[in-house]
């Protein structure tokens, strides 16, 4: 079996709500989902989800190769862009191809990827998320009620700019789960919005009222000293890593004792996750992949010993993609379809005319000029005792 070519498609994910974080939002709730299809002379096609940028630069490394040599081909792709560098969109292209190659390898073996990777159990622990930054209280409650109905016991909210608002939202969400008889573990994701001192002050104030399982990306992704300082100053664990590309970017954080929960982005591929997971395991650290459409890293997460939970951002799949998995009892339950379990309706996707948004100037992928520079900004009051009213009575 040899790789003969690749094709690209772009489908949509309809979230049914505005999505975003402290950096920005997508009011339409409709985002683009890039799909990469890798064809072979055996008639099998591998499916990868991720960037279309940079594909041409790295494809020569896999053209004509046996896709079952996926780990070797991953390194071959890295070597192909040795001089130009493999960060950013190029690493995303490598990840998309890598995902498609793993899909092919498992399809050739007629096994689901989780089984081929050696997992004993198809049930992958997960936590509820939702990119809920722009939601009002009622919208947030409806979203989290849908997750609570699926048995989740851990929840991550977006936040970082409104202390009273974050506390109110955390308490509201805790109440949703309490109604189902669950005391949820709560996390807050700041998406690199703070400076070091802002982060310490903010989280310490939060922890006067609520226990946090972890605080995510409190400062810039590469700031090992900053993450370590914050970790020493707060009770919550520090989670970070979703935007790091390559083991060399994780090493300073791990060596500095700056991270407790090591994260990877799904769009960086299967091999990257497996390698980061083993690096983390060597230091007795937990690993948690961030969510992405169809939860493709759940297959790999099932096979590593230090996985704690995979982020689930939505309960629906992108348009034209059927996923062989269920979300139930707070977990992703993987199916038996060979490969990643993704079926792509190419004709249906090609017929789409609806526009999507994500990288606009007001979206979450554009860093605001005020990020990390709010030390003197006024903050709304925090009232006690809990629970808070809206915001203070």
């Amino acid at each position: 079996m040899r790789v003969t070519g690749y094709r690209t498609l772009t489908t949509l994910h309809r979230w049914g709500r505005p999505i975003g974080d402290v950096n920005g939002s997508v009011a339409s709730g409709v985002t683009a989902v890039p799909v990469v299809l890798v064809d072979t002379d055996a008639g099998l096609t591998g499916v990868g989800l991720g960037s279309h940028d940079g594909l041409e630069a790295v494809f020569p490394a896999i053209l004509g190769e046996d896709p079952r040599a996926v780990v070797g081909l991953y390194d071959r792709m890295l070597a192909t862009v040795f001089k130009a560098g493999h960060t950013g969109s190029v690493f995303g292209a490598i990840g998309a191809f890598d995902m498609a190659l793993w899909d092919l390898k498992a399809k050739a073996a007629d096994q689901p990827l989780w089984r081929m990777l050696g997992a004993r159990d198809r049930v992958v622990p997960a936590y509820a998320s939702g990119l809920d930054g722009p939601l009002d209280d009622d919208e947030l409650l409806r979203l989290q009620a849908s997750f609570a109905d699926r048995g989740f016991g851990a929840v991550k909210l977006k936040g970082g700019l409104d202390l009273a608002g974050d506390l109110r939202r955390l308490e509201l969400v805790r109440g949703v789960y309490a109604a189902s008889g669950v005391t949820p573990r709560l996390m807050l994701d700041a998406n690199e919005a703070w400076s070091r001192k802002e982060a310490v002050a903010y989280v310490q104030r939060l922890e006067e009222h609520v226990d946090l399982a972890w605080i995510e990306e409190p400062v810039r992704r590469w700031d090992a000293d900053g993450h370590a300082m914050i970790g020493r100053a707060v009770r919550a664990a520090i989670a970070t890593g979703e935007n790091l590309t390559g083991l060399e970017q994780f090493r300073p954080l791990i060596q500095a004792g700056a991270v407790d929960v090591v994260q990877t982005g799904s769009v960086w591929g299967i091999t990257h996750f497996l390698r980061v997971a083993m690096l983390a395991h060597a230091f007795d650290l937990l690993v948690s992949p961030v969510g992405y459409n169809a939860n493709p890293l759940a297959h790999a997460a099932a096979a590593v010993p230090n996985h704690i939970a995979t982020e689930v951002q939505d309960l629906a799949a992108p348009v034209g993609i059927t996923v062989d998995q269920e979300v139930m009892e707070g977990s992703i339950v993987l199916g038996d379809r060979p490969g990643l379990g993704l079926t792509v309706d190419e004709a249906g996707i090609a017929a789409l005319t609806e526009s999507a948004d994500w990288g606009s100037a007001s979206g979450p992928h554009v860093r605001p000029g005020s990020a990390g520079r709010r030390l003197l900004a006024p903050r709304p009051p925090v009232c006690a005792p809990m629970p808070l009213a809206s915001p203070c009575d």
Side-chain angles (χ1 to χ4, degrees), residues 179-246:
S180 302
V182 175
T183 301
R185 296 295 285 147
L186 301 171
M187 299 91 87
L188 188 75
D189 187 356
N191 288 103
E192 304 183 57
W194 298 320
S195 67
R196 298 178 185 185
K197 289 293 188 178
E198 288 171 5
V200 170
Y202 202 102
V203 178
Q204 285 181 343
R205 292 295 303 278
L206 283 174
E207 290 182 329
E208 292 174 5
H209 303 279
V210 64
D211 286 326
L212 294 173
W214 76 56
I215 187 75
E216 186 169 323
E217 286 193 324
V219 290
R220 296 313 304 270
R221 63 196 70 171
W222 52 74
D223 187 0
D225 290 340
H227 280 90
M229 184 192 85
I230 296 162
R232 290 190 296 268
V234 303
R235 298 194 306 270
I238 302 298
T240 192
E242 67 177 280
N243 290 305
L244 301 179
T245 54

Side-chain angles (χ1 to χ4, degrees), residues 78-100:
L78 292 178
T80 297
V81 291
F82 160 61
K83 287 289 186 180
H86 64 249
T87 57
S89 61
V90 174
F91 201 75
I94 292 171
F97 279 140
D98 177 73
M99 194 179 295

Side-chain angles (χ1 to χ4, degrees), residues 11 15 74 85 100 111 136 170 241 248 252 265 282 318 320 389:
T11 187
W15 298 82
Y74 179 84
Q111 291 185 336
D136 63 28
L170 287 164
E248 67 277 9

Side-chain angles (χ1 to χ4, degrees), residues 248-340:
E248 67 277 9
Q249 294 190 4
F250 285 84
R251 186 166 55 205
L253 285 159
I254 291 175
Q255 288 178 326
V259 57
D260 303 295
V261 180
V262 181
Q263 298 176 307
T264 69
S266 292
V267 292
W268 308 137
I270 305 293
T271 301
H272 174 68
F273 169 78
L274 291 172
R275 291 184 174 181
V276 170
M278 288 304 99
L279 174 63
H281 188 47
F283 288 83
D284 293 320
L285 298 174
L286 300 170
V287 68
S288 175
V290 300
Y292 188 62
N293 302 287
N295 308 310
L297 286 192
H299 286 264
V304 300
N306 53 334
H307 172 259
I308 181 173
T310 293
E311 179 183 25
V312 173
Q313 295 177 343
D314 198 44
L315 298 173
V319 176
I321 297 180
T322 303
V323 190
D324 187 25
Q325 64 182 229
E326 292 185 71
V327 179
M328 55 190 297
E329 297 182 5
S331 299
I332 301 165
V333 183
L334 300 168
D336 288 316
R337 187 176 297 159
L340 286 166

